[in-house]
Amino acid sequence: MLCLFRNSLIHPRLDPVAVALSWAATLYWLYFAFIEKALWSKILQGEAIIIDLVFGLPLVLAFAIMTYASVYWSFKLILVLLYPAGLTDKPSNEIDDSYENESNQLMEKKLGADYWHQKEDVQPVKPNNNSQKNDSNHR
């Protein structure tokens, strides 16, 4: 399910619905914060204290971004769970391969940077019976 969420996009016909819902929630949040809680009137009338300006205004704007993202991703999650046909595959150049990059970095730490630069003409060594006899003698 997580793979479907990460590696798919909302179908182009449903994407405007998701964007509209996200914008509606964001605009409601801004209306609530600025109008209903009177932040805007406090700022314009000069009644806002420094805390309102330094912490309140950036926090309200940051929550607007969080609201948009939360609604959009919630809509996508509902599609994943209830209507997977409403999703399309991402183009292969947009798929996040950070997991593979992290795995390569771990292997490089374990095996060394020279491992990736080995020549391809090196053949793996096949054990022969003599080496097995020598190993048993050393034990």
Side-chain angles (χ1 to χ4, degrees):
M1 182 173 83
L2 178 63
C3 186
L4 185 60
F5 184 83
R6 289 181 67 196
N7 296 327
S8 62
L9 299 171
I10 296 176
H11 194 276
R13 289 185 182 174
L14 293 176
D15 194 52
V17 174
V19 170
L21 286 173
S22 300
W23 271 109
T26 302
L27 292 175
Y28 178 74
W29 164 251
L30 292 173
Y31 170 78
F32 175 78
F34 283 111
I35 306 300
E36 286 191 25
K37 292 299 179 182
L39 179 62
W40 189 249
S41 65
K42 284 183 184 178
I43 292 172
L44 291 179
Q45 294 173 359
E47 297 172 4
I49 57 177
I50 194 74
I51 302 274
D52 290 335
L53 297 174
V54 173
F55 294 112
L57 190 59
L59 189 63
V60 165
L61 297 176
F63 277 158
I65 295 168
M66 293 297 296
T67 302
Y68 183 90
S70 298
V71 171
Y72 189 84
W73 289 336
S74 296
F75 185 77
K76 187 174 179 180
L77 184 63
I78 290 169
L79 284 178
V80 167
L81 294 174
L82 301 177
Y83 186 62
L87 301 170
T88 59
D89 292 333
K90 278 186 182 178
S92 61
N93 60 350
E94 290 185 22
I95 294 177
D96 181 26
D97 59 349
S98 62
Y99 175 75
E100 184 176 331
N101 289 337
E102 290 174 13
S103 176
N104 287 344
Q105 289 172 355
L106 290 174
M107 291 303 288
E108 186 171 327
K109 286 180 185 177
K110 181 178 177 182
L111 300 173
D114 296 334
Y115 175 78
W116 305 108
H117 303 291
Q118 288 180 355
K119 294 182 180 179
E120 293 183 20
D121 61 334
V122 177
Q123 298 294 325
V125 177
K126 295 181 183 178
N128 56 18
N129 292 337
N130 293 337
S131 64
Q132 288 176 355
K133 289 179 186 176
N134 291 339
D135 287 342
S136 63
N137 291 337
H138 292 293
R139 291 184 190 174

